[in-house]
Amino acid sequence: VTTEEEAQARYTQAGLRNTLTQVIANGLIAERGDAMGQYNPEKMAAFDAEITKANDILEKENITEDEVAELSTKLNSIRIAGDA
C-alpha cells in the first residue's frame, strides 16, 4: 500500500525527471550546422558537455527542484546561445 505522501513524492520525482528529460531532448534534436535555423556546433559542444551532468542527476534516486532548475536553465541558455 502506498501512502498519499509516497504517491506525491513519486509524482514530484516523475515531474522533475520529465522536465529535465525534455530540456535534454530539445538540445539533442537541434539540427547543428552553419546554415540559417541551425545551431552552431561549437556553441552546442558546451550543451553536450552538460549532458553528462544531467544524466548523473537522472540516475540519482531522489533529485531536487533546485538541481533540475539550475541545470535546465543552464542547458536552455546554452541552446539559445547556440541558435545565434
Side-chain angles (χ1 to χ4, degrees), residues 9 16 21 24-25 31 34-35 37-38 41 46 50-52 58-60 62 66 68 73-74:
L16 292 170
T21 301
I24 293 167
E31 187 176 341
D34 296 323
Q38 293 181 327
E50 293 296 320
I51 294 296
T52 300
L58 288 171
E59 288 180 10
K60 291 172 54 176
N62 292 305
D66 289 342
V68 172
T73 298
K74 188 170 190 176

Side-chain angles (χ1 to χ4, degrees), residues 24-33 37-40 44 47 79:
I24 293 167
N26 286 339
L28 292 177
I29 64 171
E31 187 176 341
R32 297 163 193 223
Q38 293 181 327
Y39 289 79
N40 180 294
M44 290 302 287
F47 183 94
R79 184 177 55 81

